[in-house]
Protein backbone atom coordinates (compact mmCIF):
# COMPACT_ATOMS: atom_id res chain seq x y z
CA UNK A 1 0.00 0.00 0.00
CA UNK A 2 1.25 3.49 -0.82
CA UNK A 3 1.86 5.69 2.20
CA UNK A 4 -0.38 8.70 2.63
CA UNK A 5 1.27 12.01 1.87
CA UNK A 6 2.09 14.41 4.65
CA UNK A 7 -1.08 16.32 5.49
CA UNK A 8 -0.99 19.93 4.31
CA UNK A 9 -3.45 21.61 6.64
CA UNK A 10 -5.12 24.38 4.64
CA UNK A 11 -8.33 24.65 6.67
CA UNK A 12 -7.75 24.36 10.43
CA UNK A 13 -7.02 28.06 10.83
CA UNK A 14 -10.44 29.02 9.55
CA UNK A 15 -12.47 26.01 10.74
CA UNK A 16 -15.19 28.06 12.52
CA UNK A 17 -15.68 30.30 9.47
CA UNK A 18 -15.57 27.29 7.15
CA UNK A 19 -18.45 25.70 9.02
CA UNK A 20 -20.43 28.94 9.14
CA UNK A 21 -20.03 30.15 5.55
CA UNK A 22 -19.54 27.03 3.46
CA UNK A 23 -22.49 26.45 1.09
CA UNK A 24 -24.70 23.50 1.97
CA UNK A 25 -25.27 20.60 -0.36
CA UNK A 26 -28.66 20.01 -2.02
CA UNK A 27 -30.67 17.19 -0.39
CA UNK A 28 -31.11 15.50 -3.78
CA UNK A 29 -27.38 14.79 -3.83
CA UNK A 30 -27.63 12.49 -0.82
CA UNK A 31 -30.71 10.71 -2.12
CA UNK A 32 -28.77 10.01 -5.32
CA UNK A 33 -25.67 8.85 -3.41
CA UNK A 34 -27.79 6.48 -1.33
CA UNK A 35 -29.53 5.15 -4.43
CA UNK A 36 -26.14 4.49 -6.06
CA UNK A 37 -25.03 2.38 -3.09
CA UNK A 38 -25.65 -1.38 -3.06
CA UNK A 39 -26.62 -1.26 0.63
CA UNK A 40 -27.47 1.17 3.41
CA UNK A 41 -25.50 -0.22 6.35
CA UNK A 42 -22.33 1.92 6.32
CA UNK A 43 -21.23 5.00 4.39
CA UNK A 44 -17.75 6.48 4.70
CA UNK A 45 -17.28 10.23 4.23
CA UNK A 46 -13.58 10.94 3.78
CA UNK A 47 -12.20 14.46 4.27
CA UNK A 48 -15.50 15.31 5.94
CA UNK A 49 -14.38 18.75 7.10
CA UNK A 50 -17.10 19.89 9.48
CA UNK A 51 -19.32 16.92 8.67
CA UNK A 52 -21.97 18.47 6.43
CA UNK A 53 -22.05 15.52 4.05
CA UNK A 54 -21.75 12.98 6.87
CA UNK A 55 -24.78 14.41 8.67
CA UNK A 56 -26.83 14.35 5.47
CA UNK A 57 -25.76 10.78 4.68
CA UNK A 58 -26.90 9.67 8.14
CA UNK A 59 -30.48 10.18 6.99
CA UNK A 60 -29.99 7.35 4.48
CA UNK A 61 -27.49 4.99 6.13
CA UNK A 62 -27.58 3.08 9.42
CA UNK A 63 -24.09 4.36 10.21
CA UNK A 64 -21.65 6.91 8.78
CA UNK A 65 -17.92 6.84 9.44
CA UNK A 66 -16.58 10.34 8.78
CA UNK A 67 -12.86 11.12 8.64
CA UNK A 68 -10.73 14.21 8.32
CA UNK A 69 -7.05 14.86 8.91
CA UNK A 70 -7.83 18.19 10.63
CA UNK A 71 -8.69 18.07 14.33
CA UNK A 72 -9.92 21.68 14.12
CA UNK A 73 -12.38 20.83 11.35
CA UNK A 74 -13.66 17.81 13.26
CA UNK A 75 -14.04 20.03 16.32
CA UNK A 76 -16.62 22.05 14.37
CA UNK A 77 -18.59 18.97 13.32
CA UNK A 78 -22.15 18.67 14.59
CA UNK A 79 -22.80 15.58 16.70
CA UNK A 80 -25.17 13.16 15.00
CA UNK A 81 -26.28 9.85 16.56
CA UNK A 82 -25.39 7.74 13.51
CA UNK A 83 -22.09 9.49 12.65
CA UNK A 84 -18.70 8.51 14.11
CA UNK A 85 -15.91 11.00 13.49
CA UNK A 86 -12.26 10.00 13.35
CA UNK A 87 -9.11 12.01 12.70
CA UNK A 88 -7.31 10.27 9.85
CA UNK A 89 -6.42 10.89 6.20
CA UNK A 90 -8.51 9.61 3.31
CA UNK A 91 -5.66 7.31 2.30
CA UNK A 92 -5.78 5.40 5.63
CA UNK A 93 -9.31 4.45 6.66
CA UNK A 94 -9.42 2.56 9.96
CA UNK A 95 -12.21 0.18 9.02
CA UNK A 96 -12.06 -3.55 8.34
CA UNK A 97 -11.84 -4.89 4.81
CA UNK A 98 -15.14 -5.15 2.92
CA UNK A 99 -17.14 -3.28 5.58
CA UNK A 100 -18.64 -0.26 3.77
CA UNK A 101 -21.35 0.14 1.14
CA UNK A 102 -20.30 3.63 0.00
CA UNK A 103 -17.15 5.76 0.18
CA UNK A 104 -17.75 9.41 -0.68
CA UNK A 105 -15.71 12.59 -0.85
CA UNK A 106 -17.56 15.88 -1.14
CA UNK A 107 -15.39 18.73 -2.40
CA UNK A 108 -12.06 17.19 -1.32
CA UNK A 109 -10.85 14.48 -3.71
CA UNK A 110 -8.44 16.87 -5.43
CA UNK A 111 -6.33 16.91 -2.22
CA UNK A 112 -5.77 13.13 -2.13
CA UNK A 113 -2.94 10.89 -3.19
CA UNK A 114 -5.30 9.38 -5.74
CA UNK A 115 -3.73 5.93 -6.10
CA UNK A 116 -3.49 5.45 -2.34
CA UNK A 117 -7.05 6.69 -1.77
CA UNK A 118 -8.54 4.43 -4.45
CA UNK A 119 -6.71 1.39 -3.11
CA UNK A 120 -7.91 2.16 0.41
CA UNK A 121 -11.49 2.84 -0.70
CA UNK A 122 -11.59 -0.47 -2.59
CA UNK A 123 -10.18 -2.25 0.46
CA UNK A 124 -12.96 -1.05 2.79
CA UNK A 125 -15.81 -1.47 0.29
CA UNK A 126 -17.99 -4.54 0.21
CA UNK A 127 -18.13 -6.32 -3.14
CA UNK A 128 -20.02 -4.06 -5.53
CA UNK A 129 -19.61 -1.06 -3.21
CA UNK A 130 -19.51 2.41 -4.70
CA UNK A 131 -16.93 5.20 -4.58
CA UNK A 132 -18.26 8.68 -5.34
CA UNK A 133 -16.56 12.05 -5.42
CA UNK A 134 -18.53 15.26 -5.79
CA UNK A 135 -17.79 18.89 -6.54
CA UNK A 136 -19.80 22.05 -7.11
CA UNK A 137 -20.40 23.57 -10.49
CA UNK A 138 -21.13 27.20 -9.82
CA UNK A 139 -22.93 29.48 -12.20
CA UNK A 140 -21.55 32.85 -13.12
CA UNK A 141 -21.73 35.49 -10.37
CA UNK A 142 -24.97 37.45 -10.38
CA UNK A 143 -27.20 34.64 -11.63
CA UNK A 144 -28.39 33.85 -8.12
CA UNK A 145 -28.70 30.15 -8.89
CA UNK A 146 -27.48 27.65 -6.31
CA UNK A 147 -24.43 25.54 -6.98
CA UNK A 148 -25.07 22.36 -8.90
CA UNK A 149 -23.38 19.22 -7.64
CA UNK A 150 -21.59 17.02 -10.12
CA UNK A 151 -20.50 13.55 -9.11
CA UNK A 152 -18.38 10.85 -10.62
CA UNK A 153 -17.39 7.50 -9.33
CA UNK A 154 -16.76 3.83 -9.78
CA UNK A 155 -17.22 0.48 -8.14
CA UNK A 156 -14.49 -1.86 -7.00
Amino acid sequence: MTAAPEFKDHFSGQAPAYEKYRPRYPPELFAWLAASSPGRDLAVDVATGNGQAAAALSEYFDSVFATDASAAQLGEAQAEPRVRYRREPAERISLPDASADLVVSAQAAHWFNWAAFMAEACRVLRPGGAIRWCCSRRRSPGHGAPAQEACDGRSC
Side-chain angles (χ1 to χ4, degrees), residues 95-114:
L95 289 173
D97 294 356
S99 59
D101 297 299
L102 174 71
V103 174
V104 67
S105 170
Q107 302 283 60
H110 57 282
W111 297 109
F112 303 162
N113 171 322
W114 195 250

Side-chain angles (χ1 to χ4, degrees), residues 4-5 7 46-47 67-69 86-94 120:
F7 174 57
V46 295
T67 71
D68 201 278
R86 175 83 47 94
R87 184 179 178 208
E88 60 192 34
E91 299 88 354
R92 285 194 303 261
I93 304 167
S94 61
E120 188 68 351

Side-chain angles (χ1 to χ4, degrees), residues 70-94:
S70 168
Q73 284 284 32
L74 291 173
E76 296 295 323
Q78 190 171 19
E80 294 288 340
R82 290 189 289 205
V83 179
R84 288 184 298 146
Y85 293 101
R86 175 83 47 94
R87 184 179 178 208
E88 60 192 34
E91 299 88 354
R92 285 194 303 261
I93 304 167
S94 61

Side-chain angles (χ1 to χ4, degrees), residues 12-93:
S12 289
Q14 65 263 16
Y18 186 90
E19 192 285 325
K20 184 176 180 181
Y21 296 109
R22 191 172 193 288
R24 303 290 185 222
Y25 300 103
E28 299 83 8
L29 171 65
F30 301 102
W32 179 83
L33 287 168
S36 75
S37 175
R40 301 280 179 94
D41 293 328
L42 176 62
V44 180
D45 177 24
V46 295
T48 194
N50 57 37
Q52 289 179 6
L57 285 166
S58 73
E59 295 183 28
Y60 296 93
F61 288 84
D62 295 337
S63 181
V64 178
F65 186 75
T67 71
D68 201 278
S70 168
Q73 284 284 32
L74 291 173
E76 296 295 323
Q78 190 171 19
E80 294 288 340
R82 290 189 289 205
V83 179
R84 288 184 298 146
Y85 293 101
R86 175 83 47 94
R87 184 179 178 208
E88 60 192 34
E91 299 88 354
R92 285 194 303 261
I93 304 167

Side-chain angles (χ1 to χ4, degrees), residues 135-149:
C135 62
S136 293
R137 291 182 179 168
R138 300 199 182 276
R139 297 199 180 182
S140 301
H143 285 110
Q148 295 176 328
E149 299 300 320

